[in-house]
Amino acid sequence: MPRPFSYWLSGLLLTAALPAIAHAEVPEYGPQLQGFDYPYTLKHFAFESQGQSLEMGYMDVAAHGKANGRSVVLMHGKNFCGATWDTSIKALSDAGYRVIAPDQIGFCTSSKPAHYQYSFQQLATNTQQLLKALGIQKATLLGHSTGGMLATRYALQYPEQVEQLALVNPIGLEDWKALGVPYRTVDQWYERELKLSADGIRTYERNTYYGGRWKPEFDRWVDMLAGLNKGPGHTQVAWNSALIYDMIFTQPVYYEFQNLKMPTLLLIGTSDTTAIGSDIASPEVKAKIGHYDVLGKQVARLIPQSTLVEFPGMGHAPQMEEPAQFHQALLAWLNKTNPVR
């Protein structure tokens, strides 16, 4: 039944009466996020890959509490950076862990090569080289979003080096192309990425990452992403982002969850609706993808040694939305499943 005009008028007057939310001018950061402050000392690992000299930005944070001799490697998501793990780094360090938080090639403080064949295997290899250089032979992996796909691939590629695997709202819990999501070319992704704006990022993050809610501290992460995309490396950043989206869409890990050998924790915000390409999918396809309240349970049944922890009503980034609740669950599982050395 149509709403009466008085209903819309009252809503309009109410909206007009609300104070406007002013957002400060978005800063501009360099192509390797120069100018953005990281929560811990930022270092760079130089290495050769695909005939190029590249460098990975990373943080290596020692145990602040009583050291337990274990290391945790944090793998960030597509629109995230090592810096967005700030509360997780502190929680894990305080609990006695050494924490390594790299920025993958193509992201954040790392190189943005003009030509690079992106694959999860390549990114896993890069990360393994970093850990080897740091003298880390075995570690626990904690991967979020796209970092969950990477952590899964790493665990499949180097199973003897992974003691525990924890996945936070990982994408790749379904194969979108097999479910009917249309293919978007790298050129199309590139044109899309060139148009990113702070307002668009904020709206998407509010709806997807935080279940429609917002806290002032989230603005820092909007500025981080928007400032990187707006800066002097604008086209460079957009091109690498397009290549990475193509990797995510075309290289599913879904069919190999059953092959994971180590204890695995799924940490799932149930209100998450993330699904690559859902914006161009048909209404029928869009309706059946991105249901994390269902996907978490389905994938937990596929992984041999899995534990599922759900955060009802939370979005794509529970570690940022409610850090205390998230880290309590994570640390309890880590303590429970610590392998005997």
Side-chain angles (χ1 to χ4, degrees), residues 8-30:
W8 299 112
L9 180 61
S10 63
L12 181 62
L13 292 173
L14 177 61
T15 302
L18 293 174
I21 300 175
H23 297 295
E25 180 69 19
V26 175
E28 293 186 14
Y29 299 121

Side-chain angles (χ1 to χ4, degrees), residues 25-299:
E25 180 69 19
V26 175
E28 293 186 14
Y29 299 121
Q32 288 183 226
L33 206 53
Q34 293 93 335
F36 183 85
D37 290 331
Y38 264 43
Y40 298 90
T41 301
L42 179 67
K43 303 176 182 179
H44 284 90
F45 170 61
F47 67 107
E48 297 292 317
S49 177
Q50 299 184 21
Q52 302 174 77
S53 297
L54 303 175
E55 58 179 19
M56 289 176 68
Y58 71 97
M59 292 173 286
D60 182 0
V61 181
H64 181 69
K66 182 180 178 181
N68 60 20
R70 300 181 184 279
S71 300
V72 178
V73 180
L74 308 180
M75 297 183 171
H76 61 77
K78 169 66 181 65
N79 295 321
F80 301 81
C81 294
T84 54
W85 285 113
D86 60 344
T87 60
S88 297
I89 294 172
K90 183 180 187 306
L92 289 163
S93 175
D94 286 350
Y97 292 90
R98 178 184 180 182
V99 186
I100 295 87
D103 285 332
Q104 297 298 327
I105 294 300
F107 296 85
C108 311
T109 64
S110 295
S111 299
K112 313 287 186 309
H115 304 285
Y116 204 64
Q117 179 62 51
Y118 278 101
S119 70
F120 286 113
Q121 286 89 340
Q122 179 67 70
L123 297 185
T125 300
N126 298 347
T127 306
Q128 197 269 346
Q129 289 182 38
L130 168 64
L131 297 183
K132 184 177 180 181
L134 295 177
I136 297 173
Q137 297 178 341
K138 289 179 180 273
T140 290
L141 304 185
L142 175 60
H144 170 235
S145 190
T146 298
M149 292 185 78
L150 174 56
T152 299
R153 178 56 59 202
Y154 191 108
L156 292 165
Q157 198 163 321
Y158 304 107
E160 70 287 351
Q161 298 177 25
V162 180
E163 294 182 321
Q164 298 156 297
L165 175 64
L167 307 174
V168 188
N169 282 73
I171 61 172
L173 298 182
E174 55 191 343
D175 181 355
W176 309 287
K177 57 184 174 56
L179 293 170
V181 175
Y183 177 70
R184 191 183 241 138
T185 67
V186 171
D187 290 325
Q188 289 170 329
W189 277 117
Y190 176 62
E191 291 301 321
R192 180 179 180 270
E193 291 300 282
L194 287 174
K195 298 173 184 175
L196 283 181
S197 69
D199 287 341
I201 291 168
R202 185 177 293 104
T203 298
Y204 177 78
E205 291 188 355
R206 179 190 293 114
N207 294 339
T208 308
Y209 296 176
Y210 312 116
R213 296 169 291 276
W214 195 259
K215 297 178 183 178
E217 55 263 37
F218 298 155
D219 282 317
R220 169 170 163 79
W221 310 125
V222 174
D223 287 347
M224 177 191 72
L225 188 59
L228 178 64
N229 283 276
K230 180 183 176 183
H234 177 55
T235 56
Q236 210 176 331
V237 169
W239 181 249
N240 276 264
S241 182
L243 294 173
I244 290 162
Y245 269 123
D246 189 73
M247 171 188 74
I248 294 168
F249 188 80
T250 61
Q251 299 178 28
V253 296
Y254 173 76
Y255 305 103
E256 296 170 80
F257 284 125
Q258 62 186 350
N259 298 327
L260 290 169
K261 305 296 185 186
M262 62 291 299
T264 301
L265 174 65
L266 286 164
L267 296 144
I268 303 294
T270 62
S271 291
D272 190 5
T273 58
T274 304
I276 300 298
S278 61
D279 57 317
I280 57 172
S282 68
E284 294 77 19
V285 171
K286 187 172 182 177
K288 66 182 181 182
I289 59 177
H291 297 288
Y292 274 74
D293 55 336
V294 176
L295 293 171
K297 296 179 180 69
Q298 288 178 345
V299 172

